[in-house]
Amino acid sequence: GDDVSELHLSAESSKETISEAQKLLDEICQMLVAAGYFRARLPKLHPFDKMLGGLAWCIISSNVEVDVDLHFEEDMTLGHKIKLGENVIASLRKMKCPSPLQPHQLRGLDFQALFPVFQWLVKHVLETREERAEQIRRFSKLQFHKEQWLPDEAVDEQRRQATRQALAAAGERFKSRRQFR
């Protein structure tokens, strides 16, 4: 009874339909948690809030400029949630999501339609996280080398410095001297 109403299924839905919807919801929640959206684990949170919050979080975390308000709050009114859902759908279109999603599919918790969208978004979030980690790694390495050297790099730098000094001394010693005015 309670699962049926939470999953937006009719009372006449077969047990297979209900268990498949629950299975897809669980898989989507597992994907979200793996990507870092831990609100998907909360058992008291309604599936619609998990899906809407998860979509908004994934879009924001994928660091794509979408120009719409995607801020999700716990105590939003239904009207605000619907508006946010429409913003999420618009953002997915701007991001060129390969699985088109309609607002009624989100509101009606059509997990068959939501699942491939979440797969694509979570993959996008993880790729963005890897790119960002690589940028931070390169930047921190650059900052480190401004002040510090690793032991083997310090020896190399000493050799380069000695070579520069020797070249400067040789250039000074053997530079051409003017003989006539």
Side-chain angles (χ1 to χ4, degrees):
D2 190 35
D3 286 346
V4 173
S5 66
E6 259 196 13
L7 297 175
H8 287 244
L9 298 171
S10 69
E12 298 85 43
S13 296
S14 68
K15 286 184 177 169
E16 293 83 29
T17 305
I18 294 168
S19 69
E20 186 174 329
Q22 187 63 49
K23 183 178 156 235
L24 285 172
L25 172 63
D26 292 342
E27 286 182 36
I28 290 170
C29 289
Q30 287 172 3
M31 276 192 283
L32 288 170
V33 169
Y37 183 68
F38 298 109
R39 288 176 47 92
R41 279 194 290 204
L42 300 175
K44 296 219 185 288
L45 196 60
H46 190 277
F48 176 73
D49 290 345
K50 289 179 185 181
M51 297 301 102
L52 182 59
L55 285 168
W57 180 85
C58 283
I59 292 168
I60 291 168
S61 296
S62 64
N63 214 20
V64 175
E65 194 65 39
V66 289
D67 253 2
V68 292
D69 180 25
L70 294 175
H71 184 68
F72 180 83
E73 292 179 16
E74 186 110 10
D75 56 349
M76 293 173 78
T77 65
L78 184 59
H80 282 98
K81 288 179 185 179
I82 290 172
K83 179 68 177 154
L84 178 60
E86 290 168 357
N87 288 348
V88 162
I89 302 300
S91 299
L92 289 170
R93 285 188 189 122
K94 286 181 184 175
M95 293 173 71
K96 297 182 178 18
C97 178
S99 304
L101 190 65
Q102 300 298 318
H104 71 274
Q105 292 173 308
L106 176 57
R107 282 193 301 273
L109 294 176
D110 180 354
F111 295 112
Q112 294 284 352
L114 287 167
F115 189 77
V117 173
F118 274 105
Q119 281 183 313
W120 181 77
L121 270 176
V122 166
K123 182 180 172 209
H124 208 310
V125 167
L126 295 176
E127 287 170 354
T128 301
R129 190 174 292 157
E130 286 174 20
E131 289 170 13
R132 184 84 173 139
E134 184 57 35
Q135 288 173 341
I136 291 170
R137 199 173 297 112
R138 283 195 310 266
F139 179 74
S140 60
K141 197 172 181 181
L142 177 72
Q143 294 299 319
F144 176 79
H145 285 308
K146 284 183 176 179
E147 301 293 326
Q148 304 292 321
W149 297 95
L150 295 174
D152 57 335
E153 293 172 334
V155 172
D156 291 345
E157 183 58 27
Q158 287 172 347
R159 286 185 187 139
R160 282 192 288 273
Q161 191 65 29
T163 303
R164 280 189 218 106
Q165 288 173 349
L167 284 173
E172 189 62 35
R173 184 170 173 210
F174 294 109
K175 79 177 180 183
S176 57
R177 308 238 187 265
R178 189 170 183 179
Q179 294 182 5
F180 302 105
R181 290 201 188 248

